[in-house]
C-alpha cells in the first residue's frame, strides 16, 4: 500500500501518453497494405525496447555515471545498455514476432540472419540503435528541462532563505548600535533622548515592517538614511561632526534595503567614535536610469590606528553576501583605506 501511495499517477500517465503518441506516429507512417493490428502489435514491442533503453539511461546510468562526472564509464555503460535493449529486441523478433507475423519482416534487413549474426552485424546494430535512441533523446531532453526547472526553483528558494538569514543578522546588528547610542544619552540624562527615541521609532518602523521585501524605493532608503544621520547628529553635536549628504535623483529606482546604511554605520563607528577632533563624513547618492551610485568618505582618527575587530565587520560581510545574491555580476564595490581616510564607492546596475 505504501508503494502505491508513493506512485505519481499523473507523471505515469504522461509517460504512457508519450509512448502512445509514438505508437500512433509509427502507425500513421505505415503503408496501406500492412494490417493495422499487425503493425500496432509489432511496434508495441519495439516501443517496449525503446522504453527499457530510455528509462535505464535516464534513471540509472546517467545519475550513477554522468552526474558524477564519470564520463568514460557513462559512454561504456550507455553503449552496453543500448546493446542489451538491441539484443532483447533481436531475440524477441527471431523467436516470437517473426513466426507470428511471417510476412511483416520480409523486407527487414536482418530477416534472413540467425540470432548470432544479428547480434554481431555492425550495419544492423547501427540501424537499430538509431531507431531505439531517437525517442530517448526527446525524453531525455524533457527530463533534463524538468530537472533544470526544479534546480532553478531550489536555487531561488535557497537564495530567498539566505537573504532572510542575512537580514536577520544585519537588522539586529544595526539596532544594537542604535540602542547603544540611546543608552549613552539616557545615562547622561541628555535632553536629546526623546528626539532620539522618535527617530529610532521611525527607523524601527522601516526595519521591521517596510524592508521585508528584497527591494524598496530609493526614496524610502533616503528617508531611512536621513533619520539615521539626524540621530547621529543629535548624539555627537556640531562640534564633533561635519557631515554632508548630497543626492542626485534623476530616476526613482529600487534598491535592497539597508545595503547603503551599513557603510554609513561603519563611517560613524570607525570615523567618529575615537576622533578627538571634528570628524568629516561626505555622502553622495545618485540614482539614474538603470544605475545607482553611492559613495561615502570619512576621516580616520589620528589618535589611534587599530585594526577593525571581527565583530565590527559583521555588517560589511553581510552586505557583500547580499550584493552577491541580489546583484550577481551587477555590482561593483570599491573600498579604499589610507592613513587619513576611508572611502567606499558602490555601483549597482538595475
Amino acid at each position: 500500500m505504501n508503494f502505491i501511495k508513493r506512485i505519481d499517477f499523473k507523471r505515469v500517465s504522461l509517460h504512457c501518453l508519450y509512448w502512445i503518441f509514438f505508437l500512433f506516429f509509427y502507425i500513421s507512417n505505415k503503408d496501406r497494405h500492412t494490417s493495422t493490428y499487425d503493425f500496432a502489435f509489432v511496434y508495441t514491442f519495439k516501443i517496449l525496447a525503446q522504453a527499457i533503453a530510455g528509462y535505464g539511461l535516464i534513471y540509472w546510468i546517467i545519475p550513477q555515471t554522468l552526474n558524477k562526472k564519470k564520463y568514460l564509464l557513462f559512454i561504456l555503460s550507455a553503449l552496453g545498455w543500448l546493446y542489451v535493449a538491441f539484443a532483447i529486441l533481436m531475440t524477441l523478433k527471431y523467436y516470437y514476432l517473426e513466426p507470428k507475423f511471417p510476412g511483416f519482416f520480409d523486407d527487414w534487413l536482418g530477416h534472413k540472419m540467425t540470432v548470432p549474426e544479428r547480434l554481431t552485424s555492425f550495419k544492423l546494430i547501427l540501424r537499430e540503435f538509431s531507431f531505439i535512441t531517437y525517442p530517448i533523446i526527446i525524453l531525455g531532453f524533457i527530463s533534463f528541462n524538468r530537472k533544470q526547472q526544479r534546480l532553478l526553483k531550489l536555487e531561488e528558494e535557497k537564495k530567498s532563505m539566505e537573504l532572510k538569514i542575512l537580514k536577520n543578522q544585519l537588522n539586529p546588528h544595526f539596532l544594537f548600535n542604535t540602542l547603544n547610542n540611546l543608552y549613552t544619552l539616557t545615562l547622561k540624562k541628555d535632553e536629546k533622548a526623546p528626539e532620539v527615541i522618535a527617530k529610532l521609532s521611525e527607523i524601527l518602523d522601516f526595519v521591521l515592517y517596510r524592508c521585508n521585501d528584497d527591494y524598496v524605493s530609493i526614496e524610502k532608503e533616503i528617508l531611512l538614511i536621513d533619520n539615521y544621520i539626524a540621530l547621529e547628529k543629535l548624539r555627537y553635536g556640531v562640534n564633533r561632526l561635519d557631515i554632508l549628504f548630497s543626492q542626485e535623483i534623476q530616476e526613482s529606482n529600487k534598491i535592497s534595503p539597508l545595503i547603503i546604511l551599513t557603510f554609513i554605520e561603519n563611517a560613524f563607528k570607525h570615523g567618529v567614535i575615537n576622533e578627538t577632533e571634528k570628524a568629516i563624513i561626505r555622502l553622495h547618492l545618485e540614482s539614474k536610469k538603470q544605475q545607482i551610485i553611492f559613495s561615502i568618505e570619512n576621516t580616520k582618527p589620528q589618535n589611534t590606528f587599530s585594526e577593525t575587530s571581527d565583530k565590527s565587520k559583521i555588517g560589511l560581510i553581510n552586505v557583500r553576501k547580499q550584493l552577491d545574491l541580489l546583484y550577481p555580476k551587477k555590482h561593483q564595490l570599491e573600498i579604499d583605506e589610507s592613513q587619513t581616510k576611508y572611502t567606499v564607492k558602490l555601483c549597482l546596475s538595475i
Side-chain angles (χ1 to χ4, degrees):
M1 291 297 293
N2 290 332
F3 172 75
I4 295 173
K5 288 179 181 179
R6 288 198 298 266
I7 296 175
D8 186 345
F9 287 101
K10 181 180 177 181
R11 191 177 177 188
V12 171
S13 299
L14 288 172
H15 278 257
C16 289
L17 286 173
Y18 175 80
W19 294 112
I20 290 170
F21 165 79
F22 266 100
L23 179 59
F24 279 106
F25 173 75
Y26 293 140
I27 292 172
S28 67
N29 285 282
K30 76 176 184 66
D31 62 74
R32 55 188 175 182
H33 302 295
T34 306
S35 166
T36 301
Y37 171 79
D38 294 354
F39 198 95
F41 194 94
V42 170
Y43 271 83
T44 297
F45 283 92
K46 287 191 173 188
I47 286 173
L48 181 62
Q50 289 175 330
I52 291 171
Y55 292 124
L57 281 170
I58 294 169
Y59 295 106
W60 176 44
I61 292 173
I62 290 176
Q64 295 299 320
T65 58
L66 191 60
N67 291 353
K68 296 179 180 180
K69 298 182 179 180
K70 299 176 181 178
Y71 302 116
L72 180 59
L73 183 59
F74 165 70
I75 293 170
L76 295 175
S77 300
L79 290 174
W81 183 246
L82 288 172
Y83 186 81
V84 168
F86 164 76
I88 292 172
L89 183 59
M90 291 302 100
T91 305
L92 186 66
K93 280 184 177 181
Y94 187 84
Y95 288 106
Y96 179 66
L97 295 177
E98 290 178 42
K100 188 175 180 66
F101 306 99
F104 189 89
F105 295 94
D106 286 343
D107 297 328
W108 178 56
L109 176 64
H111 176 55
K112 296 180 180 181
M113 295 181 184
T114 63
V115 172
E117 287 173 341
R118 294 180 185 190
L119 298 181
T120 55
S121 170
F122 180 77
K123 189 175 181 180
L124 187 60
I125 290 172
L126 190 62
R127 180 178 173 179
E128 293 297 322
F129 265 35
S130 64
F131 171 80
I132 291 171
T133 54
Y134 80 85
I136 298 173
I137 293 171
I138 299 172
L139 185 65
F141 177 79
I142 294 170
S143 177
F144 174 78
N145 186 58
R146 185 171 175 270
K147 286 179 181 178
Q148 286 299 108
Q149 289 179 342
R150 188 164 63 246
L151 286 173
L152 285 173
K153 185 179 178 181
L154 289 172
E155 190 66 28
E156 285 298 316
E157 290 175 355
K158 180 184 175 184
K159 175 181 173 181
S160 178
M161 185 61 66
E162 286 180 358
L163 282 171
K164 286 179 182 178
I165 292 170
L166 289 171
K167 286 183 177 179
N168 287 338
Q169 292 174 346
L170 184 60
N171 295 355
H173 173 76
F174 160 69
L175 294 174
F176 178 76
N177 289 343
T178 308
L179 288 170
N180 270 346
N181 297 345
L182 178 60
Y183 177 69
T184 302
L185 291 175
T186 53
L187 282 179
K188 296 177 181 179
K189 297 183 179 179
D190 197 306
E191 61 183 11
K192 297 174 184 176
E195 189 175 349
V196 172
I197 292 173
K199 293 293 182 185
L200 179 59
S201 176
E202 292 181 23
I203 292 172
L204 280 171
D205 178 65
F206 182 89
V207 170
L208 296 176
Y209 300 108
R210 300 181 192 175
C211 74
N212 291 326
D213 296 331
D214 290 342
Y215 303 94
V216 297
S217 68
I218 193 71
E219 290 81 9
K220 287 184 179 180
E221 190 73 5
I222 289 171
L223 181 61
L224 175 67
I225 294 169
D226 284 337
N227 284 332
Y228 183 81
I229 291 174
L231 189 150
E232 293 289 26
K233 279 182 177 179
L234 289 170
R235 177 187 177 190
Y236 292 109
V238 295
N239 295 326
R240 290 193 59 194
L241 181 62
D242 176 11
I243 184 167
L244 178 64
F245 179 26
S246 60
Q247 306 159 32
E248 188 179 341
I249 310 301
Q250 299 175 11
E251 188 162 328
S252 180
N253 291 312
K254 288 186 177 291
I255 188 171
S256 177
L258 302 179
I259 285 283
I260 291 175
L261 191 66
T262 304
F263 299 114
I264 301 173
E265 275 191 276
N266 284 339
F268 278 102
K269 187 171 183 180
H270 305 299
V272 183
I273 291 177
N274 296 320
E275 181 62 84
T276 55
E277 300 180 2
K278 181 177 285 190
I280 300 173
I281 299 177
R282 296 288 182 264
L283 306 91
H284 180 71
L285 180 61
E286 185 178 350
S287 179
K288 54 186 181 180
K289 189 174 182 180
Q290 297 183 334
Q291 192 176 39
I292 293 175
I293 302 172
F294 171 74
S295 63
I296 181 168
E297 179 181 299
N298 63 273
T299 54
K300 293 178 64 176
Q302 297 303 298
N303 58 309
T304 179
F305 191 72
S306 58
E307 289 291 327
T308 306
S309 67
D310 289 338
K311 187 176 179 181
S312 67
K313 293 179 181 178
I314 291 173
L316 185 58
I317 291 170
N318 284 346
V319 165
R320 287 184 182 275
K321 290 180 179 178
Q322 284 203 54
L323 286 171
D324 288 337
L325 287 168
L326 290 167
Y327 301 95
K329 298 181 180 180
K330 291 185 178 181
H331 73 275
Q332 185 177 358
L333 179 61
E334 298 175 3
I335 299 177
D336 184 41
E337 184 176 6
S338 67
Q339 287 286 118
T340 57
K341 65 180 180 180
Y342 193 88
T343 306
V344 175
K345 184 176 181 181
L346 176 64
C347 297
L348 303 175
S349 298
I350 307 303

